[in-house]
Amino acid sequence: MCNQTEVREFILWGITEVQGLQHFFFTSFLLLYLTCLLGNGAIVARVISEPRLHPPMYFFLGNLSCLDIFYSTVTVPKMLTGFLFGHQPISFGGCLAQLHFFHFLGSTEAVLLATMAYDRYVAICNPLRYALVMSPRTCLLLAVASWSTGFVHATMHSVMTSQQSFCGHNHIRHFFCDIKPLLNLACSSTSLNMTLLNVVTTSIALGPFTLIVLSYLYIISFVFQKVRSQEGRWKPFSTCASHLTVVALLYIPVLFNYTPPSSGSSPKRDVPVSLVYSAVTPALNPLIYTLRNQEVRSALKKMLQRKFFPGGK
């Protein structure tokens, strides 16, 4: 039992204490955040308003863009405030809320990317039954399952963390309330929390990743067995390039951060890796999809022409 006063407020240290870098980081991450909001917002608006973009692939892309907006908003605004005003205080309730929504949205995105890989598998390997297999009802159920899985996973972590007692120093060596740096401040046993982190969170990361790998192995096998022409083989891979790039940008840092044993983690490693998937990747995703996808690119171009040149053809 800890005799010290129980901590009800934490201090987020941010990503750097070097004064000369604060304004540089503020400008850089503000631009990334605005890119995330504008790029993903434009995709969501266009998917909703453009009937041509209502097939399953674009339905899931709209969900992904919504996730990226919310996911980045959970951490980046607080981090930007820290660049301007120094270490940021956050209440215990606010810390739990940030932890919950960060893992809720992150887990949902991991599962959603596996769903999108399955969609690509059906479209390429079973095109004649694609409309039947990926019906609007099925797509809605898959999206609900993705969001529900993320919510349940995050709720487990937030409930377990709320049961901990925190005393002593209250400085979190991170730019947001993640599980590992928060549990480092606990003065009660964290063994069950660490087991949950190492087993359940690793499963949430590796399970969808395994499904993605299997989907693309089936796609590769199908293409080389059934498609004879070089051009015919290249077309399926070109349609999957955007999705594969997004998968790599999310999964490489996430697996790096959460699959090793949590006790061996280091703030110097965790903080920059967390920045990649919480701030950088959500801003890059809309750029990747618009650069690689002709339909999305042309739909966004048409939307901008209508907005800024309403009299043009």
Side-chain angles (χ1 to χ4, degrees), residues 39-63 65 119-120 130 139 289-290 293-303 306:
N40 286 297
I43 289 178
V44 172
R46 205 56 195 154
V47 168
I48 292 172
S49 63
E50 178 63 57
R52 217 160 34 100
L53 299 183
H54 284 174
M57 176 182 173
Y58 300 105
F59 170 74
F60 293 129
L61 178 57
N63 275 263
S65 293
D119 170 70
R120 291 297 83 209
Y130 179 66
C139 292
Y289 272 102
T290 52
N293 191 295
Q294 177 63 36
E295 282 186 297
V296 175
R297 193 163 63 243
S298 60
L300 288 174
K301 184 179 178 181
K302 187 187 296 183
M303 182 180 72
R306 287 175 182 172

Side-chain angles (χ1 to χ4, degrees), residues 256-279:
F256 190 74
N257 240 15
Y258 289 104
T259 53
S262 297
S263 57
S265 64
S266 163
K268 289 184 178 180
R269 184 199 73 181
D270 289 352
V271 170
V273 173
S274 299
L275 279 171
V276 174
Y277 56 79
S278 63

